[in-house]
Amino acid sequence: MSHAVDSIRAASKPEFYAALNRQLAAILAGERDWICNLANTSALLMQTLPDLNWAGFYLLKNGELVLGPFQGKIACMRLKLGQGVCGTAAARRTSLVVPNVHEFSGHIACDSASNSEVVVPLLHRGELLGVLDLDSPSLARFDDEDARGLEQTVAVLLRASETA
Ligand code: SME
């Protein structure tokens, strides 16, 4: 496919995410299917962000976060709101950057390789649809600039899609 990209060179994190999010908008243009767009968004993040071991989505269904499209190892299938990093970010409806998951009370270890994590809620017109979750084998892999950039990624994804 013409938009395929394996890496993005950029001078700074904000520039990296601006380029990534332009790529995403181009890839999703003309496609409105929610699951299809979640799947390719997880693939783009895994292909272009260095030092990840997991990138994907949990979708809110009947009050629980259920595993959605992702890239990485087999993961926990259901997470409760308010528990773990994903459930906490979902319940608070804010992004969460965790430099060391082993120090986060209630962290749910799906892949023992994960040492740091960032979670961004999927909020569409005030409604919580789920979360985007990225894991890294490195400590302190993510900071607030990653969270801001990924919030824009989620905004591009939501704009492009007919959410189910
Ligand atoms: N570590 C997450 C669970 C999801 S996996 O990392 C894919 C958490 O504590 O919510």
Side-chain angles (χ1 to χ4, degrees):
M1 104 184 250
S2 58
H3 298 303
V5 58
D6 287 322
S7 64
I8 294 171
R9 271 179 242 269
S12 67
K13 271 196 195 184
E15 283 177 30
F16 172 89
Y17 281 105
L20 171 86
N21 293 331
R22 278 195 301 274
Q23 278 288 340
L24 182 64
I27 290 164
L28 303 187
E31 179 54 66
R32 300 285 298 158
D33 187 90
W34 181 220
I35 299 298
C36 168
N37 288 348
L38 289 164
N40 260 346
T41 302
S42 69
L44 179 70
L45 291 169
M46 196 66 163
Q47 274 174 227
T48 54
L49 276 158
D51 205 17
L52 299 188
N53 60 309
W54 204 89
F57 296 93
Y58 282 88
L59 301 176
L60 187 64
K61 295 190 178 175
N62 301 321
E64 273 187 327
L65 292 170
V66 182
L67 184 63
F70 73 96
Q71 304 268 306
K73 285 194 181 170
I74 293 168
C76 310
M77 290 182 274
R78 288 174 188 267
L79 306 170
K80 293 200 185 319
L81 280 188
Q83 289 183 6
V85 184
C86 291
T88 302
R92 291 186 194 162
R93 294 169 167 245
T94 57
S95 301
L96 207 50
V97 175
V98 179
N100 183 348
V101 294
H102 308 292
E103 291 175 355
F104 186 92
S105 161
H107 165 249
I108 299 157
C110 294
D111 180 348
S112 60
S114 300
N115 279 315
S116 63
E117 185 162 353
V118 58
V119 178
V120 175
L122 308 176
L123 289 167
H124 186 56
R125 298 192 184 125
E127 188 192 348
L128 179 71
L129 301 180
V131 296
L132 165 65
D133 180 23
L134 302 185
D135 287 14
S136 171
S138 296
L139 289 165
R141 160 67 181 81
F142 309 104
D143 60 19
D144 284 349
E145 287 188 338
D146 292 288
R148 299 294 88 76
L150 293 164
E151 285 164 3
Q152 291 308 310
T153 306
V154 164
V156 169
L157 166 66
L158 289 169
R159 257 200 309 277
S161 310
E162 203 74 59
T163 55

